[in-house]
């Protein structure tokens, strides 16, 4: 939940896959030729201090996905969000590190916000892949202390609340659906709330964006639940369980049983129930997005939301979730990134994936009626797609693909 230019650059396999989907081939070629610059413009950081440049180096190193969209934000909001991300990445690295004893980890998480004010504080005992943000934390904290007070207050407060929330789930399992909401709130909902407050503090967005914490929380929960659902196998193989027991106990004795072929029908039913739960956040997402005025903020928020919608549609009733990795194709992702730049486009995309998901609902699914109703609610909030215009749009793109291919062939033939 949430892409850099490097991440989107197509390789040969991407082009082969896209050849079966002409509109995706068009997306890849258009992006390759610079069509994504209106969403992720090229940035020049040569004027930044060496310390600030190092922060952007760590941003790129720890998240290629978020790096480019953060760097595309306007004004001083860009740097505030960069530091916010790095602080939370450092906090998350502590939480993820299973080699840190709980008696050391819990107080560290709960007091992590205090380290922001300590000149020179670092942590060198981590074995996680992103340990550099802890080892070189003085660089991050120095930049934090240089931010405007309005930004610092938000970052410190969210870091404190998230640290306490993470420590609560160190030894606590995700049992009930309420636990699932609470866990996702601590690790992602608070991020949405913090970002919203930063948007308002920058004056790029109205105060209501930062004040309406319920909508901001839903933005984070929709992304986090999508990640938790999609990453079932990866988490299971690493001994982590984030699917709520209240849901999976209806379908099996152990969550790991879902990896067995004999349990696949029950596993898919549980998968669909959790996706139905995640979909209830979509109405809030649409209201939240409709309030945004700044284009760079809109793009920053829209990209991960449409990626999540596409991922859920692909995961729904998909047994591959329990045996491999479910990903949307690169050409599809590039198209979403370039298209989701205004509310009409966002609604159209969300409606399209809702319709795709609805068409996959099995008649024998225990949550058939609930999921069908949720899809109808989402589609009622989005304008209907005109089939004739959609066909014209498709064939127009196909024509553009053929023109681009011919131009490339002629270029290589006559040069």
């Amino acid at each position: 939940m949430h892409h850099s230019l490097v991440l989107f650059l197509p390789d040969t396999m991407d082009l082969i896959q896209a050849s079966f989907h002409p509109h995706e081939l068009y997306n890849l070629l258009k992006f390759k030729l610079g069509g994504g610059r209106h969403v992720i413009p090229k940035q020049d950081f040569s004027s930044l201090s060496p310390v600030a440049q190092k922060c952007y180096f760590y941003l790129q190193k720890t998240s290629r996905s978020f790096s480019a969209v953060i760097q595309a934000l306007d004004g001083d909001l860009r740097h505030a969000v960069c530091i916010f991300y790095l602080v939370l990445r450092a906090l998350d690295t502590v939480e993820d590190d299973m080699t840190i004893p709980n008696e050391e980890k819990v107080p560290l998480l709960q007091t992590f916000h205090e380290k922001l004010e300590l000149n020179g504080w670092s942590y060198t005992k981590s074995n996680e892949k992103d340990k550099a943000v802890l080892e070189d934390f003085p660089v991050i904290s120095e930049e934090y202390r240089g931010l405007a007070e309005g930004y610092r207050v938000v970052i410190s407060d969210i870091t404190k609340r998230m640290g306490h929330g993470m420590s609560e789930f160190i030894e606590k399992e995700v049992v009930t659906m309420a636990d699932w909401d609470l866990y996702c709130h601590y690790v992602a909902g608070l991020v949405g709330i913090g970002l919203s407050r930063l948007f308002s503090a920058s004056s790029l967005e109205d105060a209501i964006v930062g004040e309406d914490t319920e909508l901001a929380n839903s933005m984070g929960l929709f992304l986090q639940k999508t990640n938790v659902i999609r990453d079932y196998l990866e988490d299971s193989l690493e001994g982590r369980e984030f699917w709520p027991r209240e849901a999976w106990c209806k379908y099996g004795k152990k969550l790991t049983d879902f990896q067995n072929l004999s349990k696949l029908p029950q596993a898919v039913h549980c998968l669909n129930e959790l996706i139905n739960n995640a979909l209830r956040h979509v109405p809030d997402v649409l209201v939240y997005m409709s309030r945004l005025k700044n284009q760079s903020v809109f793009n920053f928020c829209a990209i991960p939301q449409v990626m999540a919608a596409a991922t859920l549609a692909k995961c729904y009733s998909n047994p591959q979730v329990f045996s491999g990795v479910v990903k949307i194709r690169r050409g599809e992702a590039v198209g979403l990134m370039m298209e989701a730049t205004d509310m009409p486009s966002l609604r159209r995309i969300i409606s399209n994936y809702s319709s795709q998901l609805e068409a996959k609902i099995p008649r024998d699914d225990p949550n058939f009626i609930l999921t069908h109703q949720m899809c109808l609610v989402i589609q009622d909030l989005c304008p209907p797609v005109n089939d004739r215009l959609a066909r014209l749009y498709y064939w127009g793109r196909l024509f553009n693909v053929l023109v681009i291919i011919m131009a490339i062939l002629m270029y290589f033939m006559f040069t």
Side-chain angles (χ1 to χ4, degrees):
M1 38 128 187
H2 309 357
H3 291 79
S4 73
L5 280 173
V6 176
L7 183 63
F8 279 124
L9 286 178
D11 55 26
T12 303
M13 184 55 65
D14 295 326
L15 295 174
I16 292 174
Q17 290 180 342
S19 65
F20 297 99
H21 307 271
H23 60 291
E24 293 182 15
L25 181 58
Y26 170 76
N27 292 338
L28 290 171
L29 292 173
K30 181 180 178 181
F31 190 87
K32 181 73 172 177
L33 297 173
R37 291 298 181 192
H38 67 292
V39 179
I40 303 179
K42 189 174 182 180
Q43 302 293 331
D44 179 14
F45 295 102
S46 59
S47 61
L48 296 179
S49 69
V51 174
Q53 288 185 31
K54 200 162 190 180
C55 285
Y56 285 96
F57 166 77
Y58 285 131
L59 177 65
Q60 172 69 17
K61 184 178 179 181
T62 55
S63 179
R64 290 168 59 189
S65 298
F66 277 108
S67 177
V69 287
I70 288 176
Q71 292 175 39
L73 288 168
D74 290 340
D76 59 3
L77 176 63
R78 176 192 306 126
H79 200 52
V81 173
C82 171
I83 301 306
F84 183 46
Y85 174 85
L86 290 176
V87 170
L88 297 188
R89 171 56 61 193
L91 180 68
D92 192 53
T93 300
V94 172
E95 188 219 12
D96 284 344
D97 196 332
M98 304 303 290
T99 66
I100 302 176
N102 287 348
E103 55 269 23
E104 180 180 357
K105 180 183 291 188
V106 170
L108 181 55
L109 290 172
Q110 294 178 343
T111 61
F112 198 84
H113 64 287
E114 298 173 3
K115 316 304 182 190
L116 293 168
E117 303 294 346
L118 298 180
N119 187 22
W121 181 88
S122 64
Y123 187 81
T124 58
K125 301 178 185 178
S126 176
N127 295 301
E128 285 290 296
K129 60 182 179 63
D130 292 332
K131 62 182 181 179
V133 292
L134 287 168
E135 294 172 345
D136 210 5
F137 196 75
V139 168
I140 300 169
S141 62
E142 180 180 338
E143 286 300 302
Y144 161 82
R145 292 189 294 274
L147 294 173
E149 182 181 4
Y151 291 143
R152 295 199 311 273
V153 168
V154 173
I155 295 172
S156 177
D157 177 55
I158 296 299
T159 304
K160 178 181 180 179
R161 293 163 65 184
M162 187 177 290
H164 279 268
M166 286 177 167
S167 66
E168 181 180 331
F169 277 89
I170 290 295
E171 296 180 343
K172 177 181 177 180
E173 294 183 356
V174 180
V175 178
T176 66
M177 299 304 289
D179 288 341
W180 200 37
D181 279 353
L182 184 60
Y183 169 75
C184 291
H185 164 73
Y186 284 142
V187 301
L190 283 173
V191 179
I193 291 170
L195 285 170
S196 300
R197 290 169 61 188
L198 292 177
F199 299 158
S200 295
S202 72
S203 297
L204 293 176
E205 298 296 345
D206 293 335
I208 186 64
V209 173
E211 292 168 356
D212 196 335
T213 57
E214 184 175 346
L215 293 188
N217 186 58
S218 278
M219 291 282 286
L221 263 61
F222 184 57
L223 301 182
Q224 183 64 20
K225 288 182 178 181
T226 298
N227 291 339
V228 168
I229 290 166
R230 180 200 59 200
D231 294 341
Y232 161 82
L233 185 63
E234 178 184 340
D235 288 334
S236 184
L237 294 176
E238 294 181 3
R240 300 180 301 200
E241 294 187 354
F242 297 115
W243 283 24
R245 183 184 297 173
E246 182 180 336
W248 62 256
C249 72
K250 304 174 190 175
Y251 308 100
K253 293 182 179 180
K254 294 186 298 182
L255 185 55
T256 52
D257 288 346
F258 290 166
Q259 296 174 44
N260 301 329
L261 285 175
S262 62
K263 297 291 185 180
L264 208 51
Q266 295 92 329
V268 170
H269 285 328
C270 183
L271 167 69
N272 291 348
E273 178 173 334
L274 294 183
I275 290 177
N276 174 72
N277 178 278
L279 289 175
R280 67 185 174 89
H281 298 293
V282 173
D284 281 352
V285 168
L286 292 170
V287 175
Y288 180 97
M289 294 300 301
S290 70
R291 290 176 173 172
L292 301 179
K293 301 184 304 180
N294 178 269
Q295 187 64 58
S296 73
V297 172
F298 188 95
N299 296 343
F300 175 84
C301 295
I303 291 173
Q305 298 296 331
V306 294
M307 297 294 177
T311 300
L312 286 183
K314 195 170 183 65
C315 286
Y316 190 82
S317 274
N318 188 347
Q320 189 182 348
V321 170
F322 304 98
S323 60
V325 181
V326 176
K327 289 184 178 180
I328 56 178
R329 294 182 299 274
R330 189 79 60 95
E332 184 177 4
V334 167
L336 292 173
M337 184 199 71
M338 292 190 293
E339 290 177 31
T341 56
D342 54 53
M343 277 308 297
S345 299
L346 181 70
R347 290 193 182 101
R348 183 175 63 247
I349 292 168
I350 297 292
S351 177
N352 177 48
Y353 285 119
S354 175
S355 297
Q356 288 183 27
L357 192 152
E358 184 184 16
K360 295 166 64 177
I361 303 175
R363 287 286 178 180
D364 64 344
D365 190 273
N367 292 281
F368 171 84
I369 295 176
L370 289 174
T371 306
H372 179 70
Q373 290 175 339
M374 193 66 250
C375 289
L376 290 180
V377 168
I378 293 170
Q379 290 161 34
D380 283 344
L381 294 171
C382 303
V385 177
N386 186 303
D387 290 339
R388 182 173 178 273
L389 290 177
R391 287 195 297 271
L392 289 173
Y393 183 65
Y394 174 83
W395 289 111
R397 281 194 159 195
L398 179 58
F399 176 77
N400 289 335
V401 170
L402 294 175
V403 169
I404 292 174
I405 291 175
M406 289 297 295
I408 293 173
L409 290 174
M410 291 178 67
Y411 174 80
F412 285 110
M413 287 174 63
F414 296 105
T415 57

